[in-house]
Each structure stands twice: as C-alpha cells, then as structure tokens.
Amino acid sequence: MNSEFTIAVHCLVFLSMRDECMANSEDLSQSVGTHPARVRKVLSVLRKHGYLTTKEGAHGGYMLSRPSEEIKLGELYRLVAGGSLGPSWCSGESGSSCVVSSNMQDVMGNIYNGGEEALSAYFDRISIQDVKERIGHGETLNLSLKGLSAKEKS
C-alpha cells in the first residue's frame, strides 16, 4: 500500500469534518503530518478527478465537490494506489527449463491480481463518511465485517 492512499483518505475526511468545508494545503499538511508539497501532489490528483474543487485567494483552499457518503475508498485506492499490492519484482524467469521458475511470474501475477480485486471490493464498501463517523466517535476503524453476509462472517 502506498502513502498517497492514506493521504487522500485523510484529506477528504478532514475536509468533510470542517464546518466551512474548506482548507488550504498548509492546514491539510499539518493534519496529515507531512510536507505541504506532498499533500498538494495528492490533492492535485483528487481535484483532476472531480473529488475536490479549489477557490483562489486569501481565504481560498480545497473543498469537497461530492458528498462524503458518495466517495468510496475503493475509488481512491484504484486512483492513487491501484496495483501497489503486487511486488515490483517477482522470482522466476519465463523460458527457463525449471518448471517452477518458468511459471512463477504468471502464477504470482494472477494471485496478486486476485488480491487486488478483493481489496478493491472491500474498500468499495467503505465511504469517507464511514471513516468520518468512526473518527467522530473515537473508534478504531474496524470495518472488516461491514457489508458481509451472515455466512461470510462465520
């Protein structure tokens, strides 16, 4: 998982909790605990894809352009972190005389793709509003059973 996903979720939750629903990159970076340039990079992607709007000027900043209950973590994951579950290198070498070596990359690629799909589907069940409510109640974000059928829970 990459940090851009966490930064994106953090910023959107922060904005959804502000009464005036607007904050500048300095406010956001202070809350996130990282450099403003790093936050602005993620905010730029979110703005480009319609999650945020901006207002210029002395009292300007970023604001949500969609209701927080409509923004799913799965969308954000695919946008800023999709594919990060798989490693950048996998053992093996196609064309090798070793049956394990010649098949490992394809097999592990399919396994990581399945994990990516499962993770994405899980995140699709969680909205920015869900995260906001958990934070508002001082709860640990524990949504592992949210949206699962009784059979899946057991």
Side-chain angles (χ1 to χ4, degrees):
M1 188 73 55
N2 70 27
S3 58
E4 284 78 12
F5 176 67
T6 302
I7 293 169
V9 172
H10 189 122
C11 289
L12 293 177
V13 171
F14 183 89
L15 290 169
S16 75
M17 294 179 94
R18 302 224 358 151
D19 290 335
E20 63 274 11
C21 298
M22 186 176 293
N24 62 37
S25 61
E26 295 292 327
D27 296 333
L28 289 161
S29 68
Q30 186 173 21
S31 178
V32 172
T34 194
H35 196 276
R38 190 168 185 208
V39 170
R40 282 192 295 271
K41 178 182 172 190
V42 174
L43 294 174
S44 173
V45 172
L46 295 175
R47 188 179 67 72
K48 179 181 175 183
H49 287 88
Y51 293 96
L52 299 173
T53 57
T54 56
K55 181 180 173 187
E56 301 288 329
H59 299 289
Y62 298 89
M63 63 189 132
L64 293 179
S65 59
R66 294 172 43 191
S68 60
E69 59 273 0
E70 292 179 12
I71 303 171
K72 301 295 184 179
L73 270 58
E75 301 167 18
L76 301 174
Y77 176 77
R78 288 183 292 276
L79 182 63
V80 299
S84 64
L85 187 61
S88 59
W89 176 85
C90 187
S91 63
E93 187 177 324
S94 60
S96 170
S97 61
C98 173
V99 68
V100 175
S101 181
S102 65
N103 290 291
M104 187 56 68
Q105 290 178 358
D106 287 341
V107 169
M108 290 306 296
N110 288 331
I111 290 170
Y112 283 118
N113 286 341
E116 190 81 35
E117 290 171 11
L119 181 60
S120 187
Y122 169 71
F123 284 155
D124 280 337
R125 298 191 310 257
I126 305 168
S127 71
I128 292 295
Q129 181 65 29
D130 293 328
V131 178
K132 176 183 171 180
E133 288 172 5
R134 295 291 178 139
I135 290 171
H137 292 106
E139 298 176 23
T140 302
L141 184 59
N142 183 3
L143 301 173
S144 61
L145 298 178
K146 182 180 178 181
L148 299 178
S149 68
K151 182 178 180 181
E152 291 172 310
K153 290 179 185 176
S154 57

